[in-house]
Amino acid sequence: MNNEYKINHTVKYSEVDSNYNMRLDHIVSYFQDITGLHSFEMEIDNETMLKLSNAFWVVTKMKLIFHRFPRFQENIVIETWPTTFKGVRFGRDYVIYSKENVLISCRSEWCTLDFDSKRPRRVESVHYPHSMPHRLDNSNSGEFYNVKEEINDKDYSHTHKVLLTDIDANNHTNNIAYIRMALDSFSLEESKEMNVKEFQISYLNQSFYDDEIKIYKKKKKNGNN
């Protein structure tokens, strides 16, 4: 069993923004896809987890560091590996590199939810290769921020109604859909001027088809929340 997984990819026209940089939601989508591929190889994919442990995977946090965005038609390598597991938390890191230069690094935190109760399961209670040698290195993405912002009406951006294309195989809103909601709070002009260096998202609660989600954007000296 391999404790890491890599795929080669050429950035497509459908994945870039107006600056011909690979868009954030497509980057995270590939992280999600490569996680699924590696999980299948490790025999801990959602179908197997449900069958053997009556549980399913959810991501709780992701933090990305950008050295440079991949460009249209650039050949890149996307790599992932599991890091730690303790309590109810599993760690998994990612890097994207081109010609051996790291472009993006990412760390993430996952947990398994019991299918019936929807509560987190401890790592020792679910089907997982606990004895597999885990890589000790990480993606150098740093610690997660503990950010809680007070918001008010002047920070309101828009409301998004969860529709069919937002829903994934677990019948809740897919992780990538939330990133697209956040991106849609910016205008085209703002997107052209953005110089993203870091991005963190924390998933606290689930949403489902037909839910209405209010998106707020707070301007700060060091970025947007």
Side-chain angles (χ1 to χ4, degrees), residues 1-190:
M1 181 183 297
N2 292 323
N3 62 2
E4 62 185 22
Y5 197 96
K6 297 180 183 180
I7 59 173
N8 297 304
H9 178 66
T10 301
V11 180
K12 297 178 288 189
Y13 183 78
S14 61
E15 298 168 341
V16 300
D17 60 18
S18 58
N19 294 320
Y20 287 86
N21 291 324
M22 192 174 186
R23 216 169 63 197
L24 175 61
D25 53 322
H26 290 294
I27 291 168
V28 179
S29 182
Y30 273 100
F31 289 163
Q32 179 174 272
D33 289 344
I34 195 175
T35 300
L37 292 169
H38 195 201
S39 296
F40 186 80
E41 183 180 272
M42 294 173 65
E43 298 181 349
I44 56 170
D45 55 282
N46 262 342
E47 187 175 1
T48 303
M49 187 68 73
L50 183 62
K51 179 180 179 181
L52 299 182
S53 301
N54 196 44
F56 61 96
W57 289 101
V58 293
V59 59
T60 56
K61 295 178 182 179
M62 297 190 84
K63 180 183 177 184
L64 290 80
I65 303 295
F66 298 90
H67 306 286
R68 176 173 69 77
F69 275 79
R71 301 279 295 168
F72 173 50
Q73 292 188 329
E74 184 171 12
N75 297 317
I76 59 176
V77 178
I78 307 170
E79 180 179 4
T80 186
W81 64 97
T83 54
T84 59
F85 55 92
K86 184 178 181 181
V88 297
R89 296 179 175 87
F90 297 81
R92 178 173 281 275
D93 280 28
Y94 309 84
V95 291
I96 294 178
Y97 52 92
S98 174
K99 298 178 181 178
E100 300 183 354
N101 295 315
V102 174
L103 305 183
I104 301 170
S105 57
C106 172
R107 67 174 302 194
S108 67
E109 183 180 279
W110 298 70
C111 71
T112 56
L113 298 184
D114 187 85
F115 182 79
D116 296 321
S117 69
K118 304 301 188 288
R119 296 186 63 83
R121 294 273 295 272
R122 292 189 63 84
V123 298
E124 63 270 15
S125 74
V126 296
H127 171 71
Y128 184 81
H130 302 89
S131 61
M132 180 186 74
H134 283 56
R135 283 175 51 170
L136 300 179
D137 60 318
N138 59 55
S139 61
N140 296 316
S141 302
E143 297 299 318
F144 290 112
Y145 299 118
N146 186 16
V147 179
K148 288 187 178 181
E149 291 286 346
E150 292 186 4
I151 57 175
N152 52 48
D153 290 343
K154 69 181 179 63
D155 302 316
Y156 172 77
S157 171
H158 63 284
T159 296
H160 177 86
K161 186 173 183 178
V162 179
L163 299 174
L164 181 63
T165 55
D166 298 316
I167 300 300
D168 62 16
N170 292 321
N171 285 321
H172 63 193
T173 306
N174 187 267
N175 309 325
I176 313 303
Y178 294 107
I179 295 176
R180 291 185 178 130
M181 294 176 209
L183 289 176
D184 284 340
S185 69
F186 296 94
S187 68
L188 179 61
E189 290 73 23
E190 287 175 319

